[in-house]
Amino acid sequence: MGNLNVLRLSSKMIEKLHMAQLDSLEDLLRHYPSRYETIEDLPFDQWKKGERISIEGQIIYPVRTNRIKGKLSVSRFMFQSRNGLFNVTIFNRPWISNMKGIITIFGRYDGEHSITALQYKGQPLSTLIGIHPVYRITRDLTQLDLQKVIDKALPLRDLAFIEEFPIDLKTKYKLLSIKQALKWIHQPSGFEELKQAVRTLKYEEFLRFQTKLQFDRHENSEVQAGKMKLFDRRTIEHWMPHLPFTLTDAQSKVLNEILNDLQSTKRMYRLLQGDVGSGKTVIAALAIYATHLAHFQSAVLVPTEILAKQHYVTLKTYLPESIRIELLTASMPAKIKKDILEKLAHHEIDVLVGTHALISEDVKFANCGLVVADEQHRFGVNQRRLLSSKGEKVDFLLMSATPIPRTMANVLFGDLEISTIDQYHQSRQKIHTQLINDLDLKGLIPQLKSFLQKDQQIYVVCPAIDSDNELELNDVNSVYKTLRKLLSPEIVIDTLHGKLSTEAKETVLKRFTSGQTQVLVTTTVIEVGVNVLKANVMVIYDADRFGLSQLHQLRGRVGRGKDEGYCFLLTESEEETALARMQVLLETTDGFIIAEKDLELRGPGEIFGLKQSGIPSFLIANVVLDQNILLTALGDAKMMIAHQADSLYKAWIEDCLLEHSTQLLD
Ligand code: ADP
Ligand code: MG
């Protein structure tokens, strides 16, 4: 990984890097630019009105600055360059008047020797020409900081932590060495170099991912003689009438597939996918029941504590009382935890539901036979491997509400078998979705009020918690204040977000579930699992900021009871692509179509929605646009794993199995 100390940075800088989750040399070098700016010296006779230009010269004083309001100001001055005199206007940079000597101005040419400057640098243009990286930054860490630190790291001789490609692959595809590619991705001296660097690093990323995946797959097939579960299917049949509903045909079909897997000698590795609300939980419950009948324990792994508690409660209603279910979360008192662990080790617990706390080493099952992971995309390959170490040859059931297109699933998850619940049970209600091209709630208020009068509850989802977010997104606190003003005082409004303690979150949710609260202003923490039957209205702020599948997931919170659901997508965006994306949600409620579209439309630099998409996220490679590279890497990884003892591949494979900053997916 490489310790940052070799860079001899100030402790303040180390702290800043740490805040941005850049903790090692590798983290730094893998912090690829999100885009590049090119600076060129375009001859004046080729300048066109409205286009970007750069020009060097000297300010002719005085600079006239007018304050507009607060920090807003506009400065104007004449600028002497070799192409004559220019009128320059620049906003919010009053201190430009301190610049002496030759400077370079970047901006837009407005015609007639006028320029609107966007930026300036105190250096001659000739020293600035080239391709410049632009990094994703955080509030404290600036572009300049990052450039300085990365510039320091790149020339280090000892970047031994970087494992180079097996030589035959490097030659075959004429790749750069990884070190060279890292250098050029940060400091390209031309487009050709940049292209080669990008190509090399994309391949590297996919190859690492596939190597790990194919390794796991190979391991799994080695121990393929999984434990066969002996149980009588009739017992399960007889239990069916005790469920609160009859299974749909689609549910029965997937249940059958799973029970077949459990009874076979082959180890199960199956993805159960079905849209939000399609009824996956009951299938998991019945698989757990079957496992129990065969005298094995089950583990249920979920991404959040809220979800863990809900599953715990739901499973109890789906399973016979004789099955002992317990909950384990990180925030539990140590004493209770200890008690649970003891019981677990003595098989006095049959089912343990929990968050990632389940993965920790001191959690030992007496005889675990099945691991169910809900919303599986949030668990990476590493966690899955760890969990499988909980029991020899355990069967895996991974559940996801975000459908993964089948072709993609094969490439990204290897050997996974897929079961799909492709039919809704009757109790799902229609959801009306409406796009509102305005972020002002006022227009919606009469409608919201009438919903409230009909005893409906409302979710209002915001992309940020408080107002000091970089992108000036709408936040929970401000929206709460606005609503407080617009709605009558007897309406109870609560807020919910990830920064609240687990207890506070629970209290808020409890109040909402019980109907004490009418409006819940929240972040996406409610995305999965929250089930409030009388909350049938959802307003989503800055909807264009979310991934499509995520919006669909959010929208799935409403229409769960006897009433139809309403979802209002608010956006200020006028970008065609953003509006086209939103349009998909208006046109269909089919999660598969939405997922496909999401994939198609997603750009690599998307800010939100990567983690939620169900598709592992990559730093530089794009699973849609770079499919050829992905398939090539898949073939190469298979080949290497087939020859894993070969000294050519050994080091590479071992390196891929380590934790790396290249592995966003974990
Ligand atoms: P998800 O697939 O999103 O996890 P759940 O398992 O939470 O969906 O089920 C959503 C809702 O649908 C629950 O309230 C559940 O009781 C109900 N449900 C599931 N299956 C059926 C069915 N066959 N008939 C009627 N209601 C069902
Ligand atoms: Mg679910």
Side-chain angles (χ1 to χ4, degrees), residues 244-249 251 272-283 310-311 314 318 374-375 399-401 421 424-428 529 531 533 553 556-557 560:
F245 42 74
T246 337
L247 295 191
T248 61
D249 290 348
Q251 281 171 318
L272 171 56
Q273 57 181 21
D275 217 340
V276 184
S278 61
K280 295 183 291 294
T281 319
V282 67
I283 304 299
Q310 279 197 355
H311 270 13
T314 312
Y318 288 158
D374 198 8
E375 301 307 331
M399 303 202 288
S400 173
I421 304 181
Y424 265 131
H425 47 82
Q426 285 304 310
S427 66
R428 265 317 269 182
N531 196 15
L533 302 184
Q553 184 101 305
R557 297 303 109 210
R560 299 193 142 224

Side-chain angles (χ1 to χ4, degrees), residues 10-268:
S10 67
S11 56
K12 190 157 164 244
M13 181 62 81
I14 297 265
E15 175 62 22
K16 283 200 230 174
L17 291 171
H18 181 68
M19 297 289 282
Q21 286 170 348
L22 301 172
D23 297 317
S24 68
L25 284 177
E26 175 143 29
D27 287 343
L28 261 188
L29 297 181
R30 299 291 184 180
H31 192 69
Y32 303 143
S34 54
R35 61 188 178 87
Y36 297 85
E37 262 170 18
T38 42
I39 298 178
E40 51 181 355
D41 190 4
L42 198 65
F44 180 62
D45 57 10
Q46 292 178 27
W47 286 20
K48 289 200 192 80
K49 199 173 154 180
E51 294 198 347
R52 289 293 187 103
I53 51 96
S54 18
I55 180 171
E56 81 174 28
Q58 256 177 311
I59 296 177
I60 297 180
Y61 290 86
V63 172
R64 285 151 292 138
T65 295
N66 292 320
R67 298 251 162 228
I68 303 171
K69 170 176 134 199
K71 281 186 194 163
L72 302 181
S73 70
V74 54
S75 306
R76 292 177 222 272
F77 53 87
M78 299 297 286
F79 194 64
Q80 175 72 57
S81 82
R82 64 168 198 261
N83 291 313
L85 272 181
F86 287 83
N87 289 305
V88 179
T89 307
I90 186 165
F91 290 94
N92 309 330
R93 303 278 205 290
W95 42 88
I96 195 170
S97 61
N98 299 328
M99 300 301 291
K100 301 268 174 320
I102 298 284
I103 69 168
T104 300
I105 280 178
F106 307 95
R108 190 184 65 222
Y109 183 50
D110 297 330
E112 312 198 4
H113 278 74
S114 292
I115 294 171
T116 303
L118 298 169
Q119 234 198 81
Y120 62 89
K121 291 238 160 78
Q123 289 140 278
L125 178 55
S126 57
T127 64
L128 295 167
I129 285 173
I131 307 175
H132 299 270
V134 181
Y135 295 99
R136 275 175 290 119
I137 52 176
T138 57
R139 201 137 56 92
D140 303 311
L141 196 67
T142 65
Q143 285 292 340
L144 206 63
D145 287 339
L146 266 169
Q147 273 167 15
K148 272 194 196 147
V149 179
I150 291 174
D151 285 359
K152 260 185 155 174
L154 279 172
L156 288 180
R157 276 170 195 282
D158 185 26
L159 295 179
F161 55 86
I162 293 173
E163 178 67 34
E164 292 291 345
F165 292 118
I167 189 71
D168 57 332
L169 295 178
K170 178 167 181 274
T171 318
K172 184 171 169 194
Y173 302 118
K174 299 196 173 65
L175 299 165
L176 302 176
S177 73
I178 295 173
K179 283 183 202 115
Q180 184 67 64
L182 287 174
K183 179 150 176 46
W184 284 355
I185 197 85
H186 292 289
Q187 301 176 336
S189 58
F191 282 110
E192 189 46 39
E193 289 184 345
L194 182 58
K195 220 167 92 189
Q196 287 188 48
V198 168
R199 176 172 167 272
T200 298
L201 294 176
K202 281 184 172 174
Y203 175 75
E204 183 207 0
E205 195 167 30
F206 280 147
L207 189 67
R208 282 185 177 281
F209 176 75
Q210 287 295 347
T211 303
K212 197 163 164 176
L213 200 68
Q214 297 305 322
F215 181 86
D216 273 358
R217 179 178 165 170
H218 185 80
E219 293 277 283
N220 280 343
S221 65
E222 297 270 283
V223 289
Q224 216 172 40
K227 280 186 194 162
M228 182 161 63
K229 298 193 169 57
L230 298 171
F231 56 89
D232 187 346
R233 285 199 182 206
R234 277 171 306 183
T235 317
I236 295 172
E237 290 293 324
H238 289 146
W239 176 249
M240 296 291 194
H242 296 91
L243 294 175
F245 42 74
T246 337
L247 295 191
T248 61
D249 290 348
Q251 281 171 318
S252 303
K253 178 194 73 189
V254 301
L255 178 64
N256 246 326
E257 291 166 350
I258 292 167
L259 296 182
N260 286 344
D261 279 359
L262 292 176
Q263 285 183 320
S264 88
T265 50
K266 203 177 145 212
R267 181 181 189 175
M268 174 165 83

